[in-house]
Amino acid sequence: MSLKSERRGIHVDQSELLCKKGCGYYGNPAWQGFCSKCWREEYHKARQKQIQEDWELAERLQREEEEAFASSHSTQGAQSLTFSKFEEKKTNEKTRKVTTVKKFFSASSRTGAKKVLAGKLREIQEAKAPSPSIHRQASIETDRVSKEFIEFLKTYHKPGQDIYKQCKMFLEAMHHKRELSIEEQSECAQDFYQNVAEKLQTRWKVSPERVEKAMDQIEKYIMTRLYKYVFCPETTDDEKKDLVVQKRIRALHWVTPQMLCVPVNEEIPEVSDMVVKAITDIIEMDSKRVPRDKLACITKCSKHIFNAIKITKNEPASADDFLPTLIYIVLKGNPPRLQSNIQYITRFCNPSRLMTGEDGYYFTNLCCAVAFIEKLDAQSLNLSQEDFDRYMSGQTSPKKQESENWSPDVCLGVKQMYKNLDLLSQLNERQERIVSEAKKLERDLIDWTDGITKEVQDIVEKYPLEIKPKNQALAAIDSENVENDKLPPPLQPQVYAG
């Protein structure tokens, strides 16, 4: 079965939801496409490599310190003051360098082994003593969960005692590992889940059904206590991602069901109720403290979506209909701390729930919906880039309530408000057209001016202007011609006597 819809531009193939290592389980974008089991294997490989490198570094540092100590010891008689300073410097340097790898290895030297052994004994004594941060006054919910957990374990008799003891030891160990990264704490929790489940199956021969119930109660017990320390910790950028996603969803408030090809008709009262319930469930996820309860909210939301599609189409919903409707529900609900909740479930949920079953399938679809929202563009909604940018900037909105569709019970002020918004939208469009035409006219004038200038230059180049010298003025007829006297002399008047 594929998750494709050519009409809306949403392309999610079912194979893309599986682990990219090919184990057959569902993958998760938060685990780089691996399932929980394969991701843990990859993490173990990287961790073993880091431990090996740290071990080699520790051995090299130990050799350097022993050589430095032997060199300074040979000159102790002549340089007692210098040796004292060197010994103090050596001790400080050793403490600083070995601290980072001390939690993984024991010291290779005899004197170092004694110090490490003494430190381990102190840590065991501190673990046995009640921790004030773990055993501080618990909330009402924590007390209730503890009582329910104890009552549940009574039905398991001796295995229940062993489970309770291991849970207490795990909580104390996690208290001393708070300086570790959230990924390392997650790895510790996943290892604890796996070890307890294997012990119940192999040592105590508990049936798979009872093992699953026990693991659910164990997760509820320990995560209720660890929630405030491991949910959205300050050492991660989960809060920053939450704000980015929340801002993105707010900017996409104008997206309509028709743009996503959502097969849900909210005008049907039953469908409208289902949509409201789905939004309520996805928002309620943030109020839960246990990963399994958060997954239950996602599952309930998904089932309401399937019911809404079924009522609208009068036929069972398909995966092609579910994913775009889930995207629409997330856009409409804008769940708080969405990325933090997804990361929390990924890190501390029982891996068997995420790899199989409907909970894992719905959770994977939610991750795909969030990824689609983060990359949503004009092509995904079959819009032009210009319209998409205008909708994103808030210049206009595709939502227009027609007057004939108003219910008679709607307030007149609301009708007038939408009417005014429609008028403002029309005026804004007219203004944009005028500005666009004015810019076009300006460009045309500039082009016309450039064209005329070019034509004039071509004519001037083709017919260059030649300025000839001014001609000399002609001399008077009766004036004396000194240089060239070729004219006959002037006539003289003659008088005849009559």
Side-chain angles (χ1 to χ4, degrees):
M1 179 174 57
S2 64
L3 293 173
K4 291 187 178 180
S5 179
E6 299 297 338
R7 297 174 298 168
R8 53 181 171 268
I10 304 174
H11 303 283
V12 180
D13 197 348
Q14 183 73 16
S15 60
E16 297 179 359
L17 302 180
L18 299 178
C19 175
K20 66 180 184 181
K21 199 171 182 179
C23 64
Y25 293 111
Y26 288 118
N28 194 316
W31 290 333
Q32 300 178 356
F34 293 103
C35 67
S36 175
K37 182 178 179 181
C38 296
W39 179 80
R40 288 173 58 202
E41 293 177 355
E42 294 295 327
Y43 181 82
H44 270 301
K45 292 180 182 178
R47 189 176 180 182
Q48 291 298 328
K49 182 179 178 181
Q50 183 65 35
I51 290 175
Q52 182 65 26
E53 293 177 354
D54 292 342
W55 173 257
E56 295 174 357
L57 175 63
E59 289 183 340
R60 183 172 59 83
L61 293 176
Q62 187 66 30
R63 289 195 300 269
E64 292 177 357
E65 290 170 1
E66 291 177 353
E67 293 173 359
F69 177 78
S71 176
S72 62
H73 186 69
S74 62
T75 58
Q76 182 178 6
Q79 298 177 351
S80 59
L81 181 60
T82 305
F83 174 76
S84 177
K85 292 182 179 180
F86 172 77
E87 184 69 18
E88 180 181 0
K89 181 179 179 181
K90 182 183 75 65
T91 303
N92 295 335
E93 189 72 13
K94 181 178 180 180
T95 302
R96 181 179 64 82
K97 293 180 179 180
V98 178
T99 299
T100 56
V101 295
K102 185 177 179 181
K103 58 185 177 181
F104 298 111
F105 329 103
S106 59
S108 57
S109 64
R110 295 179 180 179
T111 57
K114 294 180 180 179
K115 293 181 181 180
V116 171
L117 180 60
K120 293 295 181 181
L121 292 175
R122 285 195 300 270
E123 290 181 2
I124 294 174
Q125 293 175 356
E126 292 176 358
K128 291 183 178 180
S131 174
S133 60
I134 292 294
H135 298 288
R136 66 179 62 176
Q137 185 177 5
S139 63
I140 298 176
E141 182 179 1
T142 304
D143 291 338
R144 178 181 59 81
V145 171
S146 300
K147 293 178 181 179
E148 292 177 356
F149 186 60
I150 294 174
E151 292 296 326
F152 172 79
L153 292 180
K154 288 180 180 179
T155 61
Y156 282 71
H157 305 293
K158 193 172 182 180
Q161 298 177 4
D162 188 32
I163 291 174
Y164 185 76
K165 181 179 178 181
Q166 291 187 45
C167 290
K168 298 294 290 185
M169 293 176 61
F170 173 74
L171 290 174
E172 292 293 343
M174 290 295 291
H175 168 68
H176 296 289
K177 294 180 180 180
R178 290 182 188 170
E179 72 278 0
L180 300 179
S181 65
I182 193 63
E183 286 77 15
E184 293 174 318
Q185 296 183 52
S186 171
E187 183 68 18
C188 293
Q190 299 295 330
D191 290 341
F192 175 73
Y193 290 147
Q194 184 177 5
N195 293 335
V196 173
E198 290 178 355
K199 183 175 291 187
L200 287 174
Q201 292 177 350
T202 58
R203 180 178 178 181
W204 299 107
K205 306 300 180 181
V206 180
S207 62
E209 295 77 11
R210 299 193 69 192
V211 170
E212 184 177 356
K213 292 181 180 179
M215 294 307 300
D216 291 341
Q217 292 297 324
I218 291 171
E219 177 188 309
K220 183 177 181 181
Y221 176 71
I222 64 176
M223 295 315 302
T224 301
R225 280 168 162 70
L226 298 177
Y227 175 79
K228 59 183 177 181
Y229 304 112
V230 297
F231 180 82
C232 191
E234 296 180 356
T235 56
T236 64
D237 57 349
D238 292 348
E239 184 177 1
K240 183 179 179 181
K241 293 180 179 178
D242 289 335
L243 296 176
V244 172
V245 172
Q246 191 176 45
K247 184 178 179 181
R248 175 69 172 174
I249 294 177
R250 286 178 179 174
L252 294 170
H253 66 91
W254 48 268
V255 177
T256 62
Q258 292 75 21
M259 294 179 180
L260 294 171
C261 296
V262 176
V264 170
N265 186 5
E266 295 186 64
E267 294 182 0
I268 302 175
E270 295 180 2
V271 174
S272 179
D273 292 341
M274 291 295 175
V275 171
V276 172
K277 290 179 181 179
I279 294 174
T280 303
D281 290 332
I282 197 68
I283 293 176
E284 189 180 0
M285 175 180 62
D286 185 61
S287 64
K288 304 298 181 181
R289 307 178 74 178
V290 183
R292 180 173 64 91
D293 295 340
K294 293 181 180 292
L295 278 178
C297 291
I298 299 174
T299 301
K300 289 192 296 183
C301 169
S302 301
K303 290 184 177 180
H304 288 314
I305 291 175
F306 274 106
N307 290 334
I309 298 173
K310 182 178 179 181
I311 295 173
T312 302
K313 299 181 66 176
N314 292 324
E315 61 182 17
S318 64
D320 284 345
D321 298 328
F322 170 70
L323 183 57
T325 309
L326 178 61
I327 295 171
Y328 174 68
I329 293 297
V330 173
L331 289 175
K332 196 170 183 179
N334 196 0
R337 299 192 291 187
L338 184 56
Q339 282 288 359
S340 292
N341 282 285
I342 291 177
Q343 293 296 330
Y344 177 70
I345 294 173
T346 302
R347 292 163 180 161
F348 296 101
C349 183
N350 187 357
S352 62
R353 284 190 170 272
L354 293 182
M355 290 189 295
T356 57
E358 62 179 3
D359 290 342
Y361 175 76
Y362 293 141
F363 178 71
T364 303
N365 277 272
L366 178 62
C367 295
C368 293
V370 175
F372 177 82
I373 291 173
E374 292 176 340
K375 300 178 181 179
L376 189 144
D377 54 10
Q379 185 179 2
S380 303
L381 301 176
N382 292 328
L383 296 175
S384 64
Q385 189 63 42
E386 182 181 358
D387 290 340
F388 182 82
D389 294 338
R390 289 169 59 192
Y391 295 154
M392 290 294 293
S393 63
Q395 296 179 1
T396 183
S397 174
K399 297 180 180 179
K400 290 185 180 181
Q401 182 68 47
E402 301 295 338
S403 59
E404 60 271 12
N405 294 334
W406 284 109
S407 173
D409 299 332
V410 176
C411 176
L412 295 177
V414 175
K415 293 182 179 180
Q416 186 63 37
M417 179 185 67
Y418 274 94
K419 184 178 180 181
N420 293 339
L421 289 175
D422 190 23
L423 291 175
L424 289 174
S425 178
Q426 294 177 9
L427 289 174
N428 189 26
E429 293 177 359
R430 290 178 59 187
Q431 183 180 7
E432 290 180 354
R433 287 198 299 269
I434 292 173
V435 172
S436 177
E437 293 295 334
K439 291 181 178 180
K440 181 180 179 182
L441 178 60
E442 182 181 7
R443 291 193 299 269
D444 293 342
L445 289 174
I446 293 174
D447 295 340
W448 179 80
T449 303
D450 294 340
I452 295 298
T453 303
K454 188 175 182 304
E455 290 180 3
V456 171
Q457 291 177 353
D458 293 341
I459 294 174
V460 170
E461 292 176 359
K462 186 175 181 180
Y463 305 102
L465 180 62
E466 296 181 2
I467 301 177
K468 297 181 179 181
K470 187 178 180 180
N471 296 329
Q472 294 181 358
L474 297 175
I477 296 177
D478 295 337
S479 63
E480 296 179 358
N481 191 348
V482 179
E483 296 180 357
N484 190 10
D485 192 6
K486 295 181 180 182
L487 296 174
L491 297 176
Q492 295 294 332
Q494 296 178 5
V495 179
Y496 293 97

Short mmCIF file of all heavy atoms in Angstrom, two decimals, residues 333-354:
data_model
loop_
_atom_site.label_atom_id
_atom_site.label_comp_id
_atom_site.label_asym_id
_atom_site.label_seq_id
_atom_site.Cartn_x
_atom_site.Cartn_y
_atom_site.Cartn_z
N GLY A 333 -4.45 22.57 14.80
CA GLY A 333 -4.30 22.50 16.24
C GLY A 333 -3.05 23.17 16.76
O GLY A 333 -3.04 23.69 17.88
N ASN A 334 -1.96 23.17 15.96
CA ASN A 334 -0.67 23.73 16.39
C ASN A 334 -0.31 23.24 17.79
O ASN A 334 -0.25 24.01 18.75
CB ASN A 334 -0.70 25.26 16.35
CG ASN A 334 0.70 25.86 16.40
OD1 ASN A 334 1.69 25.14 16.47
ND2 ASN A 334 0.78 27.17 16.39
N PRO A 335 -0.05 21.94 17.95
CA PRO A 335 0.22 21.37 19.28
C PRO A 335 1.45 22.02 19.93
O PRO A 335 2.44 22.30 19.26
CB PRO A 335 0.47 19.88 18.98
CG PRO A 335 -0.09 19.65 17.62
CD PRO A 335 0.04 20.94 16.88
N PRO A 336 1.40 22.26 21.22
CA PRO A 336 2.54 22.87 21.91
C PRO A 336 3.70 21.90 22.04
O PRO A 336 3.50 20.69 22.22
CB PRO A 336 1.97 23.26 23.28
CG PRO A 336 0.84 22.32 23.49
CD PRO A 336 0.25 22.07 22.13
N ARG A 337 4.91 22.42 21.94
CA ARG A 337 6.15 21.65 22.12
C ARG A 337 6.12 20.35 21.32
O ARG A 337 6.41 19.27 21.83
CB ARG A 337 6.39 21.37 23.60
CG ARG A 337 6.54 22.62 24.43
CD ARG A 337 7.04 22.34 25.82
NE ARG A 337 6.06 21.66 26.65
CZ ARG A 337 6.22 21.42 27.95
NH1 ARG A 337 7.32 21.82 28.55
NH2 ARG A 337 5.28 20.81 28.64
N LEU A 338 5.79 20.48 20.07
CA LEU A 338 5.61 19.31 19.22
C LEU A 338 6.92 18.54 19.04
O LEU A 338 6.97 17.32 19.18
CB LEU A 338 5.04 19.74 17.87
CG LEU A 338 4.69 18.62 16.88
CD1 LEU A 338 3.72 17.64 17.50
CD2 LEU A 338 4.10 19.21 15.60
N GLN A 339 7.98 19.25 18.71
CA GLN A 339 9.27 18.58 18.49
C GLN A 339 9.81 17.97 19.79
O GLN A 339 10.38 16.87 19.77
CB GLN A 339 10.30 19.57 17.93
CG GLN A 339 10.15 19.87 16.45
CD GLN A 339 10.59 18.70 15.59
OE1 GLN A 339 11.02 17.67 16.09
NE2 GLN A 339 10.47 18.85 14.28
N SER A 340 9.62 18.63 20.92
CA SER A 340 10.08 18.08 22.20
C SER A 340 9.36 16.79 22.52
O SER A 340 9.97 15.82 23.02
CB SER A 340 9.86 19.11 23.32
OG SER A 340 10.71 20.22 23.17
N ASN A 341 8.06 16.74 22.27
CA ASN A 341 7.30 15.52 22.54
C ASN A 341 7.74 14.38 21.62
O ASN A 341 7.86 13.23 22.05
CB ASN A 341 5.81 15.79 22.36
CG ASN A 341 5.20 16.52 23.54
OD1 ASN A 341 4.98 15.94 24.59
ND2 ASN A 341 4.93 17.80 23.37
N ILE A 342 8.00 14.70 20.35
CA ILE A 342 8.46 13.67 19.42
C ILE A 342 9.83 13.13 19.85
O ILE A 342 10.06 11.91 19.86
CB ILE A 342 8.51 14.23 17.99
CG1 ILE A 342 7.09 14.48 17.46
CG2 ILE A 342 9.26 13.28 17.06
CD1 ILE A 342 7.04 15.10 16.09
N GLN A 343 10.73 14.01 20.23
CA GLN A 343 12.05 13.58 20.67
C GLN A 343 11.98 12.78 21.98
O GLN A 343 12.69 11.79 22.16
CB GLN A 343 12.97 14.79 20.85
CG GLN A 343 13.31 15.52 19.58
CD GLN A 343 14.11 14.66 18.63
OE1 GLN A 343 14.87 13.78 19.05
NE2 GLN A 343 13.97 14.89 17.33
N TYR A 344 11.11 13.20 22.88
CA TYR A 344 10.95 12.50 24.16
C TYR A 344 10.44 11.07 23.93
O TYR A 344 10.95 10.11 24.54
CB TYR A 344 9.99 13.29 25.04
CG TYR A 344 9.66 12.65 26.37
CD1 TYR A 344 10.62 12.55 27.37
CD2 TYR A 344 8.39 12.14 26.63
CE1 TYR A 344 10.32 11.97 28.59
CE2 TYR A 344 8.09 11.57 27.85
CZ TYR A 344 9.06 11.48 28.83
OH TYR A 344 8.75 10.90 30.03
N ILE A 345 9.45 10.92 23.07
CA ILE A 345 8.94 9.58 22.75
C ILE A 345 10.03 8.74 22.09
O ILE A 345 10.22 7.56 22.41
CB ILE A 345 7.71 9.69 21.85
CG1 ILE A 345 6.55 10.36 22.60
CG2 ILE A 345 7.28 8.31 21.35
CD1 ILE A 345 5.35 10.67 21.72
N THR A 346 10.77 9.34 21.18
CA THR A 346 11.81 8.60 20.47
C THR A 346 12.90 8.12 21.41
O THR A 346 13.40 7.00 21.27
CB THR A 346 12.43 9.51 19.39
OG1 THR A 346 11.41 9.95 18.49
CG2 THR A 346 13.50 8.77 18.60
N ARG A 347 13.24 8.94 22.40
CA ARG A 347 14.37 8.60 23.28
C ARG A 347 14.00 7.63 24.40
O ARG A 347 14.82 6.78 24.76
CB ARG A 347 14.93 9.89 23.91
CG ARG A 347 15.60 10.83 22.92
CD ARG A 347 15.75 12.20 23.51
NE ARG A 347 16.39 13.14 22.58
CZ ARG A 347 16.31 14.46 22.68
NH1 ARG A 347 15.61 15.01 23.68
NH2 ARG A 347 16.89 15.23 21.81
N PHE A 348 12.81 7.73 24.95
CA PHE A 348 12.52 7.02 26.18
C PHE A 348 11.31 6.09 26.12
O PHE A 348 10.89 5.57 27.14
CB PHE A 348 12.33 8.03 27.33
CG PHE A 348 13.56 8.81 27.64
CD1 PHE A 348 13.71 10.12 27.16
CD2 PHE A 348 14.60 8.25 28.36
CE1 PHE A 348 14.85 10.84 27.44
CE2 PHE A 348 15.75 8.97 28.63
CZ PHE A 348 15.88 10.26 28.17
N CYS A 349 10.73 5.90 24.96
CA CYS A 349 9.61 4.97 24.85
C CYS A 349 10.13 3.54 24.73
O CYS A 349 11.25 3.31 24.23
CB CYS A 349 8.74 5.31 23.65
SG CYS A 349 7.27 4.27 23.49
N ASN A 350 9.33 2.60 25.21
CA ASN A 350 9.68 1.19 25.04
C ASN A 350 9.83 0.90 23.54
O ASN A 350 8.91 1.10 22.77
CB ASN A 350 8.58 0.33 25.64
CG ASN A 350 8.94 -1.14 25.66
OD1 ASN A 350 9.98 -1.54 25.17
ND2 ASN A 350 8.05 -1.94 26.21
N PRO A 351 11.00 0.42 23.10
CA PRO A 351 11.25 0.28 21.66
C PRO A 351 10.29 -0.66 20.96
O PRO A 351 10.04 -0.53 19.77
CB PRO A 351 12.69 -0.22 21.59
CG PRO A 351 12.98 -0.79 22.94
CD PRO A 351 12.18 0.01 23.90
N SER A 352 9.74 -1.63 21.69
CA SER A 352 8.83 -2.57 21.05
C SER A 352 7.56 -1.89 20.55
O SER A 352 6.94 -2.33 19.59
CB SER A 352 8.46 -3.68 22.03
OG SER A 352 7.78 -3.16 23.16
N ARG A 353 7.18 -0.79 21.18
CA ARG A 353 5.98 -0.06 20.74
C ARG A 353 6.23 0.74 19.47
O ARG A 353 5.34 0.92 18.65
CB ARG A 353 5.49 0.87 21.85
CG ARG A 353 4.76 0.15 22.97
CD ARG A 353 4.09 1.14 23.90
NE ARG A 353 3.21 0.45 24.82
CZ ARG A 353 1.95 0.16 24.56
NH1 ARG A 353 1.43 0.49 23.40
NH2 ARG A 353 1.20 -0.46 25.45
N LEU A 354 7.44 1.26 19.33
CA LEU A 354 7.75 2.08 18.16
C LEU A 354 8.07 1.25 16.94
O LEU A 354 7.92 1.72 15.81
CB LEU A 354 8.94 3.01 18.48
CG LEU A 354 8.69 4.10 19.53
CD1 LEU A 354 9.94 4.94 19.69
CD2 LEU A 354 7.50 4.97 19.14
#
